[in-house]
């Protein structure tokens, strides 16, 4: 049970955004994808979720190639991603945001409304249910984004900077939530994150990319010790 | 996982509450119909026309409102509906005069108006189904432009297809079937269809894609498919509006189905608010009323001993000004994207 990228290359014109990266996400694990700004993390998630077809290389679920599938195919087959910029359905209510995903998963309108209520309870958003999404504060907005992803019952959940813009307390809550999601949904979680405290709290494994290429894969404590990691990471962010 | 298995109990009255927007709109339309039935024949005709516009705007709303993609194809679908019913309902001897070269299987048809009207809707839906398949793959503005081309193509084809449409000549002698009761019933029918559709799963997915197509795809929504469904249903209702129009006028001319009609319907939808059914209905009624007032003023209205009269053409300018003001100050239209719920603030939550 794994989602994987194999020797993936992505180019935008002359820019090599991803170079020969192979990455594996097992069901049930939490994997951290880290690297400086512009390293190619989002591009890699786009590849894994069907939004970006790699120039070379393959994407596989349980060994089956899925690189030719359109984006909407992936959620139906267990691969769900969130966005760095959240991208809620801004004009719809919080509940409708979740219901839209649930109806895709086969729920009727009526049962979707009930299930959306359960999911919002789970994320502590019950009283936001009928709020228009554009009126949410930043941290609630991010949590609704997660609720919408969970509505699709993921086997593999790809989260693009879920803690961006959150304060320390909110980041702690998010850490608890992601642990709970892994346990309750039994899914593999890939987290792109710059917050090293959150990363070391969450992840069994880290995959480091720098300038589009894999620098290292391993346990967080091993990665922290690597001089290449320190120089690349601290050198490239300013 | 078990999280997704349990579900909270349904709230009593939830279902009835969901019907309030539908019932309010039906009540409004019935009241308009009843009020008009007390008026003079000329006034009744204006109200019938307003109700037919309402059917067309509701048809336009089904696609534009839910998908967020602009469509200029309304007058094309109305033309298809109008010509379809003309061809199948006109008396065969009339047809031999106006359309001597009509293929025999059409020439012998003499259907009742109601059948012709429904067939008009189905023909429009059929054309939309075929053309919509490639069209719905386009995004945003390209799709809008493509519907504009569709309108132009239908206009040119119908204006030159002498054997079937009579080309530039008018078709005359259609049964004047559409009276106030029929117009009211069709308006209600259109509203019911649009409401049932917007409560469907597909329409919710489509509205999600309207808000953010990328996030919609990431949620597994098949945008093209749901756009296509809305487009076809929209064409059906709009085609019926065209057929009703034909059976109000008694004649069909291709000139009636061009830019000015499409723009009028779009203006109605935008003024009312394209993101709710209430907006579509209110826009159609409000602009019809405004148009009527301006028309009267252009002809001159005696007030006391004065004759209040505005210069001809000013009416159109006022109409355009209204559209501009709405776009500037109330971009979501009169209805503001909401349905008529008569409840408190939508953001305040309804389950304490
Ligand atoms: N659609 C695109 N067209 C052209 N270049 C792109 C595109 N998307 C990304 N890039 C480039 O590819 C590289 C990788 O971008 P990517 O967004 O994947 O980085 P990232 O690791 O997610 O960065 P951040 O931490 O800032 O989110 C960058 O140089 C970026 O400018
Ligand atoms: Mg990124």
């Amino acid at each position: 049970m794994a989602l994987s990228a194999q020797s993936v290359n992505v180019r935008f014109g002359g820019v090599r955004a991803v170079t020969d990266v192979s990455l594996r996400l097992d069901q049930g694990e939490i994997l951290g994808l880290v690297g400086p700004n512009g390293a190619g993390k989002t591009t890699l998630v786009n590849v894994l979720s069907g939004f970006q077809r790699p120039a070379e290389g393959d994407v596989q679920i349980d060994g089956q190639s899925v690189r030719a599938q359109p984006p909407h195919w992936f959620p139906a087959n267990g691969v769900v991603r969130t966005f760095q910029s959240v991208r809620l359905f801004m004009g719809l209510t919080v509940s409708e945001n979740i219901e839209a995903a649930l109806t895709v998963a086969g729920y009727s309108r009526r049962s979707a409304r009930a299930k959306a209520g359960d999911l919002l309870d789970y994320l502590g958003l019950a009283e936001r249910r009928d709020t228009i999404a554009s009126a949410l504060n930043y941290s609630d907005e991010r949590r609704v984004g997660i609720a919408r992803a969970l509505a699709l019952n993921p086997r593999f959940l790809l989260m693009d900077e879920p803690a961006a813009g959150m304060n320390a307390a909110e980041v702690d809550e998010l850490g608890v939530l992601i642990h709970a999601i892994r346990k309750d949904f039994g899914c593999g979680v890939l987290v792109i994150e710059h917050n090293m405290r959150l990363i070391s709290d969450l992840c069994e494994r880290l995959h480091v990319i720098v300038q589009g290429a894999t620098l290292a894969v391993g346990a967080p404590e091993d990665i922290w010790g690597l001089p290449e990691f320190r120089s690349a990471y601290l050198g490239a962010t300013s | 996982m078990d999280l997704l298995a349990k579900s909270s109990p349904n709230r009593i009255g939830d279902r009835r509450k969901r019907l309030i927007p539908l019932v309010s709109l039906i009540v409004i339309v019935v009241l308009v119909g009843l009020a008009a039935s007390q008026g003079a024949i000329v006034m009744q005709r204006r109200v019938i026309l307003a109700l037919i516009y309402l059917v067309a705007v509701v048809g336009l709303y089904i696609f534009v409102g839910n998908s967020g993609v602009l469509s200029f194809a309304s007058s094309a679908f109305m033309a298809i509906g109008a010509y379809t019913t003309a061809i199948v309902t006109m008396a065969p001897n009339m047809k031999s005069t106006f359309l001597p070269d009509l293929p025999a299987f059409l020439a012998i048809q003499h259907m009742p108006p109601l059948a012709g009207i429904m067939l008009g809707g189905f023909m429009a839906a059929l054309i939309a189904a075929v053309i919509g398949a490639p069209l719905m793959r386009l995004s945003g503005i390209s799709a809008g432009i493509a519907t504009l081309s569709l309108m132009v193509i239908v206009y040119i084809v119908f204006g030159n297809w002498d054997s079937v449409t009579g080309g530039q000549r008018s078709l005359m002698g259609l049964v004047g079937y559409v009276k106030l009761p029929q117009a009211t019933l069709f308006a209600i029918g259109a509203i019911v269809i649009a409401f049932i559709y917007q409560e469907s799963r597909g329409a919710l997915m489509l509205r999600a894609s309207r808000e953010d197509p990328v996030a919609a795809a990431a949620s597994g929504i098949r945008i093209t498919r749901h756009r296509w469904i809305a487009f076809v249903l929209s064409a059906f209702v709009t085609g019926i509006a065209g057929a009703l129009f034909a059976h109000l006028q008694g004649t069909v001319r291709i000139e009636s189905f061009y830019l000015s009609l499409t723009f009028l319907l779009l203006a109605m939808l935008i003024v009312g608010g394209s993101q709710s059914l209430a907006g579509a209905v209110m826009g159609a009624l409000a602009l019809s009323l405004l148009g009527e007032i301006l028309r009267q003023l252009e002809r001159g209205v005696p007030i006391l001993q004065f004759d209040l009269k505005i210069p001809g053409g000013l009416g159109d300018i006022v109409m355009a000004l209204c559209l501009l003001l709405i776009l500037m100050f109330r971009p979501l239209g009169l209805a503001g994207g909401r349905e008529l719920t008569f409840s408190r603030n939508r953001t305040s939550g309804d389950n304490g």
Side-chain angles (χ1 to χ4, degrees):
Chain A
M1 295 283 128
L3 171 68
S4 63
Q6 264 133 36
S7 308
V8 162
N9 283 277
V10 178
R11 281 179 284 271
F12 297 112
V15 182
R16 308 196 68 172
V18 174
T19 310
D20 219 26
V21 170
S22 298
L23 174 151
R24 203 184 78 250
L25 174 65
D26 287 314
Q27 206 172 351
E29 78 165 331
I30 301 181
L31 171 71
L33 179 57
V34 296
N37 291 107
K41 307 180 294 295
T42 297
T43 304
L44 203 52
V45 162
N46 287 344
V47 167
L48 289 168
S49 57
F51 278 86
Q52 176 69 53
R53 189 143 329 152
E56 290 130 41
D58 200 10
V59 179
Q60 299 185 343
I61 301 177
D62 305 338
Q64 299 275 339
S65 175
V66 299
R67 83 186 274 279
Q69 301 293 348
H72 66 72
W73 181 91
F74 284 77
N77 290 275
V79 181
V80 180
R81 58 89 52 92
T82 68
F83 292 92
Q84 198 165 346
S85 50
V86 194
R87 307 194 78 128
L88 294 186
F89 306 128
M90 285 298 180
L92 306 187
T93 66
V94 166
S95 181
E96 284 169 336
N97 266 269
I98 320 291
E99 288 169 47
L102 286 164
T103 52
V104 173
Y107 287 87
S108 71
R109 279 302 300 273
R110 190 204 287 241
S111 58
R113 177 136 180 99
K115 303 286 178 198
D118 296 341
L119 270 167
L120 290 170
D121 280 345
Y122 181 75
L123 287 145
L125 288 163
E127 68 286 18
R128 294 269 91 97
R129 172 173 157 151
D130 292 303
T131 306
I132 304 286
S134 57
L136 292 173
N137 67 37
Y138 202 72
S139 140
D140 283 350
E141 191 182 328
R142 292 214 159 259
R143 280 192 295 169
V144 173
I146 295 173
R148 182 177 66 186
L150 294 179
L152 294 158
N153 204 6
R155 273 199 300 151
F156 303 102
L157 178 61
L158 317 177
M159 307 177 90
D160 198 346
E161 303 201 15
M166 288 185 172
N167 64 34
E170 288 164 346
V171 171
D172 287 344
E173 277 177 40
L174 181 70
V176 174
L177 175 64
I178 293 175
H179 275 300
I181 288 170
R182 186 246 303 262
K183 184 163 141 286
D184 295 339
F185 287 78
C187 56
V189 184
L190 179 150
V191 191
I192 297 180
E193 194 42 70
H194 289 297
N195 184 322
M196 290 304 153
R197 203 163 58 85
L198 180 60
I199 283 289
S200 47
D201 164 45
L202 283 176
C203 304
E204 290 92 39
R205 237 162 34 93
L206 292 189
H207 189 123
V208 185
I209 58 174
V210 175
Q211 288 181 6
T214 300
L215 181 83
V217 181
E221 49 280 13
D222 299 334
I223 299 287
W224 302 150
L226 291 176
E228 305 95 298
F229 173 77
R230 293 185 156 271
S231 68
Y233 211 86
L234 301 175
T237 47
S238 51
Chain B
M1 288 293 212
D2 61 336
L3 166 78
L4 289 174
K6 84 173 162 43
S7 95
S8 50
N10 256 304
R11 287 165 51 75
I12 306 160
D14 220 37
R15 198 193 178 91
R16 203 177 304 164
K17 221 164 85 184
R18 298 192 79 104
L19 287 177
I20 291 176
L22 174 64
V23 174
S24 349
L25 292 177
I26 292 176
V27 167
I28 290 173
V29 167
V30 169
L31 288 178
V32 167
L34 283 177
S37 67
Q38 306 305 309
I41 290 291
V42 189
M43 206 268 258
Q44 289 197 9
R45 245 185 101 78
R46 307 302 301 174
V47 173
I48 293 171
L49 188 61
L51 290 172
I52 292 172
Y53 285 148
L54 189 152
V55 173
V57 176
V58 167
L60 183 61
Y61 159 78
I62 289 174
F63 178 68
V64 174
N66 291 293
S67 75
V69 177
L70 209 53
S71 168
F72 297 95
S74 290
S75 44
F77 294 133
M78 284 184 74
I80 294 168
Y83 276 97
T84 301
T85 193
I87 290 163
V88 299
T89 65
M90 277 165 70
N93 59 340
M94 292 292 266
K95 277 190 268 195
S96 58
T97 312
F98 288 110
L99 301 168
D101 302 324
L102 194 64
F105 78 100
L106 290 174
I108 56 166
Q109 296 299 331
H110 193 189
M111 295 187 187
L114 185 58
I117 291 168
M118 298 312 288
L119 198 63
F122 281 115
M123 276 309 289
L126 186 69
I127 305 281
V130 174
I131 294 183
L135 217 79
M136 296 301 115
R137 298 186 170 282
L138 303 174
S139 65
I141 291 183
S142 332
I145 304 258
T147 59
L148 190 64
S149 326
L150 172 62
M151 184 196 67
V152 174
I153 290 169
V154 167
Y155 176 78
I156 291 173
V157 169
F158 280 30
N160 292 284
W161 197 1
D162 292 355
S163 63
V164 173
T165 65
Q168 297 296 323
R169 283 167 293 139
S170 304
L171 298 180
M172 289 178 230
L174 274 78
V175 183
Y177 168 78
V178 181
K179 303 279 189 294
L180 208 44
Q182 286 84 353
T184 309
L185 284 175
F186 272 100
I188 292 172
I191 289 171
V192 169
I193 288 175
F195 184 79
I196 290 174
Y197 172 69
Q198 81 177 14
E199 290 295 302
S200 73
R201 298 166 59 222
L204 177 62
M205 293 184 224
L206 191 57
R207 286 196 294 279
S209 80
R210 171 191 81 196
E211 297 298 321
D212 191 329
V214 173
S219 300
I221 294 170
R222 312 183 66 149
I223 303 174
T224 311
R225 171 195 285 188
H226 290 293
R227 272 194 193 159
W228 181 83
I229 292 170
F231 193 63
V232 172
L233 185 62
S234 162
F236 174 73
V237 173
T238 312
I240 284 185
L244 293 171
F245 187 73
H247 285 285
L248 171 68
Q249 309 287 3
T251 61
V252 178
R253 300 187 315 128
I254 190 61
E255 289 306 322
S256 326
F257 303 102
Y258 204 43
L259 285 168
S260 56
L261 178 61
T262 271
F263 284 139
L264 175 66
L265 298 174
L266 267 174
M268 286 173 165
L269 184 61
I270 290 167
V271 164
S274 68
Q275 298 199 352
S276 71
L277 182 54
V281 170
M282 283 161 62
L285 294 179
L287 276 203
S288 293
L289 180 65
L290 179 67
E292 185 56 22
I293 292 171
L294 292 169
R295 231 170 53 93
Q296 297 286 345
L297 284 174
E298 281 185 357
R299 287 212 325 244
V301 181
I303 293 175
L304 302 175
Q305 66 269 53
F306 301 106
D307 206 19
L308 185 60
K309 191 171 187 307
I310 60 172
L314 192 62
D316 285 346
I317 296 178
V318 172
M319 204 71 135
L321 221 59
C322 283
L323 185 61
L324 203 65
L325 287 175
I326 290 275
L327 285 174
M328 284 167 65
F329 296 110
R330 210 171 154 82
L332 286 178
L334 297 175
R338 285 152 188 255
E339 299 298 350
L340 304 173
T341 54
F342 303 109
S343 69
R344 288 151 298 124
N345 195 346
R346 199 179 175 190
T347 51
S348 67
D350 63 354
N351 58 347

